[in-house]
Amino acid sequence: MGEKPRLKHVVKSVIAALFGVQSQHNRERDFGYDSPRIYIITGVIMIGIVVGALLVIVKWVTQL
């Protein structure tokens, strides 16, 4: 507890949370860290990537 989470675990947890499939064990591990800042920043970046990808796909499909 209190140790800095690894980037791999943060990305995996954020993706699982975005899809709503986060396990109880991982959720407890994630909430055990001192600061949620890395999860918030990673979540905002991931949402930006998803929205950007959807915009590109929609633009590509509407131009066909």
Side-chain angles (χ1 to χ4, degrees), residues 4-25:
K4 187 175 179 181
R6 300 181 80 166
L7 183 60
K8 178 176 116 175
H9 293 143
V10 173
V11 171
K12 184 177 174 183
S13 289
V14 169
I15 290 171
L18 285 173
F19 287 103
V21 294
Q22 183 73 294
S23 71
Q24 180 69 18
H25 172 20

Side-chain angles (χ1 to χ4, degrees), residues 1-6 32-34:
M1 298 245 187
E3 64 188 43
K4 187 175 179 181
R6 300 181 80 166
Y33 297 121
D34 292 338

Side-chain angles (χ1 to χ4, degrees), residues 16-17 34 37-38 46 50 57 62:
D34 292 338
R37 182 177 301 152
I38 188 70
M46 296 298 288
V50 169
I57 291 169
T62 57

Side-chain angles (χ1 to χ4, degrees), residues 38-58:
I38 188 70
Y39 291 96
I40 294 169
I41 292 169
T42 305
V44 169
I45 291 169
M46 296 298 288
I47 290 171
I49 290 170
V50 169
V51 169
L54 287 173
L55 288 173
V56 168
I57 291 169
V58 168

